[in-house]
Amino acid sequence: MESPDPRNLVPPGRTAQFSTFVAAVLAVAVLVSAGGLVSFVSTLPDLPAAFWTMAVLAVACDARPFLPPGRGQSSSAVFPSTCFTFAILLGWGLGPAVAVQAVAVVVSGIRMRHAPWRTAFNAGQYACSLAAAYAVTRLGPGGIYDGAALGWTDIAAIGGAGVAWFAVNYGLVTTAVRLRFGERWWPNAWHGLPFELLSTGSLLLLAPVLVTAARASAALVPLVLVPLFAVYRMARLTVEQHQLAALDPLTGLPNRKALLAEVNEQVHRHAERAARGEPATRLALLLIDLDRFKNVNDALGHAVGDRLLVEVSARLTGVVAPPQMVARLGGDEFAIVMTGLSEVGEARALADEVVQALAEPVPLDGLPLDVGGSIGIALFPDHGEDFATLMRHADVAMYDAKHRNDTVAVYTAESDHNSAERLGLLADLRRVLEVGASGRNDGSAPADLTAVRGGDGAVLPTSVPAEEPAGARWWDRRRRRPRVMRPDDELIARIITGADPTLRRAARDAGSDAATAGGAVWSGTRAGDQSDLGGGAEPTAEDRPGAEPGTDAGEITMYYQPQVAIATGEVVGVEALLRWRHPRRGMVDPEELIRVAEQSAVMRLLTRRVVDDVVEQLAKWSAAGLGLRAALNVSVRDLHTGEIADQIADRLARYGVAPERLQLEITEGALMADPRRVLTTITRLHRIGVGIALDDFGTGYSSLQHLRRLPLSEVKVDRSFVLGMVEDADDAAIVRSTIELAKALGLRVVAEGVEDERTWRMLHAAGCDAAQGWFYARPMPAEELAAWLARYRPLRPLGGHDEADIPRRHAR
């Protein structure tokens, strides 16, 4: 059943005000045109043939008006009667013009199936417009065409009459639309103004020419149909080209341009439906990406691939019934627009039908081709209120389905790894690392590492700083900053420093170093201790004196957590943990920091920064007589090339640190991602003398043969098992088995997450070598670690722990 024209309907809740407006327009129309109509009846027999010719043409042309494509409800059709009735107004007055226009409106209303109230309103609006134009013409010296020639005042009166006609007509239509559909329609009406000016304005400007021709001979009046017909045909050709431009030439489906127009129009309709409190106000955008299509193109050629796309489009249109839209975006991507939904389950149901339709092999030249698809779903208004947002979120959901080896996925914020917030965080991280790199004036950055290229091909340039005077120390700088270069002229130096916010901050920091104890961050808050974070918030860039808002990305620093030998209580090493205090977000969660960096080339720059800081810190500890071993975590991206091995070797040699003082921790997930490439990198590190620890053991499903093949020196038991071993016999059994396995292979065992005495004693009884956790100490900056070591007294366990009372989980 054909849906009714929405402009024939009045939304609930707006009937009273809209009806009042329509009644007012009709009353004004009757009032201003009554006198002219009465005089028109009396002069009817005296009207010339030119008038009757124009009247007939006006009514005949409005029987088939021009409907502009894609204008929606924001504009009306173009009625050629405007040209003739305005000419009648100029030549014979208001009464004849209103009468002819009213007949033309009735004919067009019947032809276009307008509601009676709508036909009446159109007649009233035209009567008001003609009355306003007539009033302007009467402001002149009298009848415009009474004389033999037109003067400048006559021409000005004709121009003013046209402007008055257009202003009143467009104003009444726009007001009516706003009263019926709300404020959302006002931007559309404003957007349609140029089209209305061009189309209706052209008809109004043709009217004076038509009157002049009629004064010469009535036979000249029909000649105006020739240019009108030419314009009409050109408009039709434009419409056809517009329609072809919105179609995909291969499949005949709507293309991306048509999809954009459809989504935008449907978004407005559903928003108005929601405002009226109607049900089914959701819109779904389904994005489909074919699987294994590239294999078909590569193996059988693009001609077969094109035939496959045609067959897929036929299957999609067979599943998706109108008024839903199926579009091809390009390549092997398709989209479906579903309207009038109440819940996401309806979109999922259609997506499942599409998956089933695509699951059947496509026979081409006797060869069955298996082509599946991954579908992402985004809903209006839940996941976005415009085409761009819905499209991006549907794309995120589609790739989420691919990564999970699923067929259908609905957008969730958790799967959006490139949200605006994360992109902003990544930009801040890049900035703070680049500032840190430019501040390392100790010559530690070799020339071959002045640019980092990540796995995504992006290049991160880092400046090569000038040399720093001998004797400058890392701990003498509160933050990594560019060196302040001061010209000889003091006045010039003050001008340059005052104009450059970076130099201004660096100069301020240099002046305050005497009052700063080491490289501490803004507050003494320790990362990992959430209870300490509420005591004093990190000053933002706006809060700090002299700081430029938006130029400070915070401070990257390293915290260290002691690793203690369980049997002797001796501190045998530390784990280096990355901390970032953001000026607006406070302490950034380390896991979020790594997730943000790991997907871009920033990860390489971050790893360089961590290696530099840790090796430099080891050198300082050695100079102070502390023989600690430091362990640091590396990403899987770092292990795919030999760059990290070269960098570590260079830093160890530069700072004179023994290789066995450094240890890298790799996760099972990184190991399983690409075992061959990872094995190559860690073998090089092992030959250098750097220790390799397998972190989070037991959580990555790695094969036990990796423990035999890899040059490991240590296994770290994941905290998820250690935290529960006191309360759960299964976790305790896993920890004991891991320790026994590692011991059998000659590996050292470190337990993470030791937070109470019972766990500590159980680990000692199981033979664990070392432990780290809040039972001993929380992560802390390097200067706090030195103070902690000075007051630390070894704690040795005196006996085992009775494990008989540990509860066991129910059998799974």
Side-chain angles (χ1 to χ4, degrees), residues 16 41 86 110 149 175 239 241 268 281 317 379 384 446 464 627-628 675 689 730 738 743 775 799:
V41 173
F86 191 65
I110 296 173
T175 303
V239 170
Q241 293 178 357
H268 287 306
T281 58
T317 53
L379 262 66
V464 180
L628 297 175
D730 289 346
T738 302
K743 290 291 186 179
F775 176 71

PDB file of all heavy atoms in Angstrom, residues 16 41 86 110 149 175 239 241 268 281 317 379 384 446 464 627-628 675 689 730 738 743 775 799:
ATOM      1  N   ALA A  16      -3.911  22.250  16.526  1.00  0.00           N
ATOM      2  CA  ALA A  16      -4.579  23.496  16.919  1.00  0.00           C
ATOM      3  C   ALA A  16      -3.840  24.710  16.365  1.00  0.00           C
ATOM      4  O   ALA A  16      -4.448  25.575  15.698  1.00  0.00           O
ATOM      5  CB  ALA A  16      -4.683  23.580  18.443  1.00  0.00           C
ATOM      6  N   VAL A  41     -15.428  40.232 -11.833  1.00  0.00           N
ATOM      7  CA  VAL A  41     -16.674  39.693 -12.382  1.00  0.00           C
ATOM      8  C   VAL A  41     -17.340  40.715 -13.310  1.00  0.00           C
ATOM      9  O   VAL A  41     -17.866  40.365 -14.385  1.00  0.00           O
ATOM     10  CB  VAL A  41     -17.620  39.288 -11.243  1.00  0.00           C
ATOM     11  CG1 VAL A  41     -18.995  38.878 -11.798  1.00  0.00           C
ATOM     12  CG2 VAL A  41     -17.022  38.179 -10.429  1.00  0.00           C
ATOM     13  N   PHE A  86       1.362  36.166 -12.487  1.00  0.00           N
ATOM     14  CA  PHE A  86       2.048  37.422 -12.172  1.00  0.00           C
ATOM     15  C   PHE A  86       1.958  38.388 -13.350  1.00  0.00           C
ATOM     16  O   PHE A  86       1.830  39.600 -13.171  1.00  0.00           O
ATOM     17  CB  PHE A  86       3.510  37.132 -11.822  1.00  0.00           C
ATOM     18  CG  PHE A  86       4.233  38.312 -11.231  1.00  0.00           C
ATOM     19  CD1 PHE A  86       3.858  38.844 -10.009  1.00  0.00           C
ATOM     20  CD2 PHE A  86       5.283  38.909 -11.907  1.00  0.00           C
ATOM     21  CE1 PHE A  86       4.521  39.936  -9.465  1.00  0.00           C
ATOM     22  CE2 PHE A  86       5.957  40.002 -11.371  1.00  0.00           C
ATOM     23  CZ  PHE A  86       5.570  40.512 -10.144  1.00  0.00           C
ATOM     24  N   ILE A 110      -5.842  18.542  -7.436  1.00  0.00           N
ATOM     25  CA  ILE A 110      -6.468  17.276  -7.842  1.00  0.00           C
ATOM     26  C   ILE A 110      -5.451  16.365  -8.497  1.00  0.00           C
ATOM     27  O   ILE A 110      -5.413  15.152  -8.240  1.00  0.00           O
ATOM     28  CB  ILE A 110      -7.646  17.569  -8.788  1.00  0.00           C
ATOM     29  CG1 ILE A 110      -8.724  18.366  -8.049  1.00  0.00           C
ATOM     30  CG2 ILE A 110      -8.217  16.281  -9.363  1.00  0.00           C
ATOM     31  CD1 ILE A 110      -9.846  18.836  -8.942  1.00  0.00           C
ATOM     32  N   ALA A 149       5.473  53.354 -23.117  1.00  0.00           N
ATOM     33  CA  ALA A 149       6.799  52.875 -22.732  1.00  0.00           C
ATOM     34  C   ALA A 149       6.891  52.817 -21.215  1.00  0.00           C
ATOM     35  O   ALA A 149       6.151  53.492 -20.486  1.00  0.00           O
ATOM     36  CB  ALA A 149       7.872  53.798 -23.304  1.00  0.00           C
ATOM     37  N   THR A 175       6.661  29.169   7.367  1.00  0.00           N
ATOM     38  CA  THR A 175       5.990  29.218   8.665  1.00  0.00           C
ATOM     39  C   THR A 175       5.068  28.024   8.849  1.00  0.00           C
ATOM     40  O   THR A 175       5.001  27.425   9.931  1.00  0.00           O
ATOM     41  CB  THR A 175       5.197  30.519   8.794  1.00  0.00           C
ATOM     42  OG1 THR A 175       6.079  31.638   8.614  1.00  0.00           O
ATOM     43  CG2 THR A 175       4.529  30.619  10.154  1.00  0.00           C
ATOM     44  N   VAL A 239      17.477  15.780 -13.749  1.00  0.00           N
ATOM     45  CA  VAL A 239      16.958  14.807 -12.797  1.00  0.00           C
ATOM     46  C   VAL A 239      17.475  13.411 -13.129  1.00  0.00           C
ATOM     47  O   VAL A 239      17.917  12.660 -12.242  1.00  0.00           O
ATOM     48  CB  VAL A 239      15.415  14.823 -12.806  1.00  0.00           C
ATOM     49  CG1 VAL A 239      14.861  13.660 -11.997  1.00  0.00           C
ATOM     50  CG2 VAL A 239      14.914  16.135 -12.252  1.00  0.00           C
ATOM     51  N   GLN A 241      20.183  12.585 -14.803  1.00  0.00           N
ATOM     52  CA  GLN A 241      21.610  12.503 -14.491  1.00  0.00           C
ATOM     53  C   GLN A 241      21.838  12.433 -12.988  1.00  0.00           C
ATOM     54  O   GLN A 241      22.732  11.720 -12.515  1.00  0.00           O
ATOM     55  CB  GLN A 241      22.339  13.717 -15.088  1.00  0.00           C
ATOM     56  CG  GLN A 241      22.367  13.728 -16.598  1.00  0.00           C
ATOM     57  CD  GLN A 241      23.058  14.963 -17.148  1.00  0.00           C
ATOM     58  OE1 GLN A 241      23.473  15.847 -16.391  1.00  0.00           O
ATOM     59  NE2 GLN A 241      23.178  15.033 -18.467  1.00  0.00           N
ATOM     60  N   HIS A 268      15.874  12.573  10.098  1.00  0.00           N
ATOM     61  CA  HIS A 268      14.941  13.653  10.426  1.00  0.00           C
ATOM     62  C   HIS A 268      13.547  13.095  10.695  1.00  0.00           C
ATOM     63  O   HIS A 268      12.872  13.523  11.635  1.00  0.00           O
ATOM     64  CB  HIS A 268      14.897  14.668   9.287  1.00  0.00           C
ATOM     65  CG  HIS A 268      16.121  15.513   9.191  1.00  0.00           C
ATOM     66  ND1 HIS A 268      16.615  16.237  10.255  1.00  0.00           N
ATOM     67  CD2 HIS A 268      16.970  15.763   8.159  1.00  0.00           C
ATOM     68  CE1 HIS A 268      17.698  16.893   9.892  1.00  0.00           C
ATOM     69  NE2 HIS A 268      17.938  16.622   8.617  1.00  0.00           N
ATOM     70  N   THR A 281      10.978   4.286  16.665  1.00  0.00           N
ATOM     71  CA  THR A 281      11.718   5.499  16.321  1.00  0.00           C
ATOM     72  C   THR A 281      13.193   5.247  16.078  1.00  0.00           C
ATOM     73  O   THR A 281      13.975   6.191  16.031  1.00  0.00           O
ATOM     74  CB  THR A 281      11.573   6.529  17.449  1.00  0.00           C
ATOM     75  OG1 THR A 281      12.060   5.961  18.681  1.00  0.00           O
ATOM     76  CG2 THR A 281      10.133   6.935  17.634  1.00  0.00           C
ATOM     77  N   THR A 317      18.934  -7.872  -2.247  1.00  0.00           N
ATOM     78  CA  THR A 317      17.634  -7.286  -2.548  1.00  0.00           C
ATOM     79  C   THR A 317      16.514  -8.308  -2.404  1.00  0.00           C
ATOM     80  O   THR A 317      15.355  -7.933  -2.170  1.00  0.00           O
ATOM     81  CB  THR A 317      17.626  -6.717  -3.980  1.00  0.00           C
ATOM     82  OG1 THR A 317      18.059  -7.736  -4.900  1.00  0.00           O
ATOM     83  CG2 THR A 317      18.570  -5.530  -4.079  1.00  0.00           C
ATOM     84  N   LEU A 379      22.863   1.960  15.440  1.00  0.00           N
ATOM     85  CA  LEU A 379      21.473   2.397  15.568  1.00  0.00           C
ATOM     86  C   LEU A 379      21.380   3.895  15.822  1.00  0.00           C
ATOM     87  O   LEU A 379      22.224   4.467  16.527  1.00  0.00           O
ATOM     88  CB  LEU A 379      20.775   1.661  16.714  1.00  0.00           C
ATOM     89  CG  LEU A 379      19.912   0.437  16.358  1.00  0.00           C
ATOM     90  CD1 LEU A 379      20.797  -0.666  15.810  1.00  0.00           C
ATOM     91  CD2 LEU A 379      19.145  -0.043  17.566  1.00  0.00           C
ATOM     92  N   GLY A 384      24.509   7.188  17.301  1.00  0.00           N
ATOM     93  CA  GLY A 384      24.843   8.355  16.491  1.00  0.00           C
ATOM     94  C   GLY A 384      23.592   9.008  15.949  1.00  0.00           C
ATOM     95  O   GLY A 384      22.554   8.364  15.793  1.00  0.00           O
ATOM     96  N   PRO A 446      71.369   7.840  19.473  1.00  0.00           N
ATOM     97  CA  PRO A 446      72.262   7.719  18.339  1.00  0.00           C
ATOM     98  C   PRO A 446      71.619   8.251  17.082  1.00  0.00           C
ATOM     99  O   PRO A 446      70.406   8.373  16.974  1.00  0.00           O
ATOM    100  CB  PRO A 446      72.505   6.207  18.243  1.00  0.00           C
ATOM    101  CG  PRO A 446      71.304   5.597  18.869  1.00  0.00           C
ATOM    102  CD  PRO A 446      70.863   6.545  19.921  1.00  0.00           C
ATOM    103  N   VAL A 464      67.297  16.087  17.103  1.00  0.00           N
ATOM    104  CA  VAL A 464      68.599  15.763  17.678  1.00  0.00           C
ATOM    105  C   VAL A 464      69.078  16.989  18.421  1.00  0.00           C
ATOM    106  O   VAL A 464      69.407  18.014  17.819  1.00  0.00           O
ATOM    107  CB  VAL A 464      69.609  15.379  16.570  1.00  0.00           C
ATOM    108  CG1 VAL A 464      70.949  15.051  17.177  1.00  0.00           C
ATOM    109  CG2 VAL A 464      69.073  14.218  15.763  1.00  0.00           C
ATOM    110  N   GLY A 627      73.295  -2.820  43.663  1.00  0.00           N
ATOM    111  CA  GLY A 627      73.411  -3.788  42.579  1.00  0.00           C
ATOM    112  C   GLY A 627      72.084  -4.420  42.232  1.00  0.00           C
ATOM    113  O   GLY A 627      71.969  -5.658  42.237  1.00  0.00           O
ATOM    114  N   LEU A 628      71.075  -3.612  41.957  1.00  0.00           N
ATOM    115  CA  LEU A 628      69.756  -4.126  41.655  1.00  0.00           C
ATOM    116  C   LEU A 628      69.636  -4.555  40.189  1.00  0.00           C
ATOM    117  O   LEU A 628      70.291  -3.992  39.315  1.00  0.00           O
ATOM    118  CB  LEU A 628      68.685  -3.059  41.954  1.00  0.00           C
ATOM    119  CG  LEU A 628      68.550  -2.619  43.415  1.00  0.00           C
ATOM    120  CD1 LEU A 628      67.540  -1.492  43.519  1.00  0.00           C
ATOM    121  CD2 LEU A 628      68.115  -3.801  44.286  1.00  0.00           C
ATOM    122  N   PRO A 675      55.699 -16.549  16.945  1.00  0.00           N
ATOM    123  CA  PRO A 675      56.797 -17.196  17.683  1.00  0.00           C
ATOM    124  C   PRO A 675      58.143 -17.119  16.975  1.00  0.00           C
ATOM    125  O   PRO A 675      59.175 -16.943  17.625  1.00  0.00           O
ATOM    126  CB  PRO A 675      56.313 -18.646  17.825  1.00  0.00           C
ATOM    127  CG  PRO A 675      54.829 -18.576  17.690  1.00  0.00           C
ATOM    128  CD  PRO A 675      54.565 -17.466  16.742  1.00  0.00           C
ATOM    129  N   GLY A 689      73.338 -10.955  26.758  1.00  0.00           N
ATOM    130  CA  GLY A 689      73.439 -11.180  28.188  1.00  0.00           C
ATOM    131  C   GLY A 689      72.245 -10.687  28.961  1.00  0.00           C
ATOM    132  O   GLY A 689      72.218 -10.765  30.198  1.00  0.00           O
ATOM    133  N   ASP A 730      42.372 -24.758  44.071  1.00  0.00           N
ATOM    134  CA  ASP A 730      42.731 -24.919  42.663  1.00  0.00           C
ATOM    135  C   ASP A 730      43.808 -23.926  42.254  1.00  0.00           C
ATOM    136  O   ASP A 730      44.776 -24.275  41.569  1.00  0.00           O
ATOM    137  CB  ASP A 730      41.495 -24.732  41.780  1.00  0.00           C
ATOM    138  CG  ASP A 730      40.527 -25.898  41.911  1.00  0.00           C
ATOM    139  OD1 ASP A 730      40.930 -26.931  42.465  1.00  0.00           O
ATOM    140  OD2 ASP A 730      39.381 -25.767  41.450  1.00  0.00           O
ATOM    141  N   THR A 738      53.187 -24.763  38.674  1.00  0.00           N
ATOM    142  CA  THR A 738      54.016 -23.862  37.869  1.00  0.00           C
ATOM    143  C   THR A 738      55.418 -23.764  38.445  1.00  0.00           C
ATOM    144  O   THR A 738      56.421 -23.781  37.710  1.00  0.00           O
ATOM    145  CB  THR A 738      53.360 -22.473  37.800  1.00  0.00           C
ATOM    146  OG1 THR A 738      52.049 -22.583  37.242  1.00  0.00           O
ATOM    147  CG2 THR A 738      54.183 -21.529  36.956  1.00  0.00           C
ATOM    148  N   LYS A 743      61.110 -25.051  38.109  1.00  0.00           N
ATOM    149  CA  LYS A 743      62.300 -25.561  38.787  1.00  0.00           C
ATOM    150  C   LYS A 743      62.920 -26.717  38.001  1.00  0.00           C
ATOM    151  O   LYS A 743      64.147 -26.835  37.889  1.00  0.00           O
ATOM    152  CB  LYS A 743      61.925 -26.031  40.197  1.00  0.00           C
ATOM    153  CG  LYS A 743      61.565 -24.902  41.156  1.00  0.00           C
ATOM    154  CD  LYS A 743      62.769 -24.070  41.510  1.00  0.00           C
ATOM    155  CE  LYS A 743      62.440 -23.048  42.576  1.00  0.00           C
ATOM    156  NZ  LYS A 743      63.613 -22.248  42.951  1.00  0.00           N
ATOM    157  N   PHE A 775      52.517  -6.492  49.789  1.00  0.00           N
ATOM    158  CA  PHE A 775      52.983  -7.019  51.067  1.00  0.00           C
ATOM    159  C   PHE A 775      54.373  -6.465  51.385  1.00  0.00           C
ATOM    160  O   PHE A 775      54.708  -6.217  52.554  1.00  0.00           O
ATOM    161  CB  PHE A 775      53.006  -8.541  51.026  1.00  0.00           C
ATOM    162  CG  PHE A 775      53.571  -9.178  52.264  1.00  0.00           C
ATOM    163  CD1 PHE A 775      52.872  -9.153  53.460  1.00  0.00           C
ATOM    164  CD2 PHE A 775      54.819  -9.791  52.235  1.00  0.00           C
ATOM    165  CE1 PHE A 775      53.395  -9.728  54.597  1.00  0.00           C
ATOM    166  CE2 PHE A 775      55.350 -10.374  53.364  1.00  0.00           C
ATOM    167  CZ  PHE A 775      54.641 -10.353  54.554  1.00  0.00           C
ATOM    168  N   GLY A 799      58.369 -20.609  58.962  1.00  0.00           N
ATOM    169  CA  GLY A 799      57.764 -21.924  58.824  1.00  0.00           C
ATOM    170  C   GLY A 799      56.832 -21.961  57.649  1.00  0.00           C
ATOM    171  O   GLY A 799      56.574 -20.951  57.002  1.00  0.00           O
TER     172      GLY A 799
END
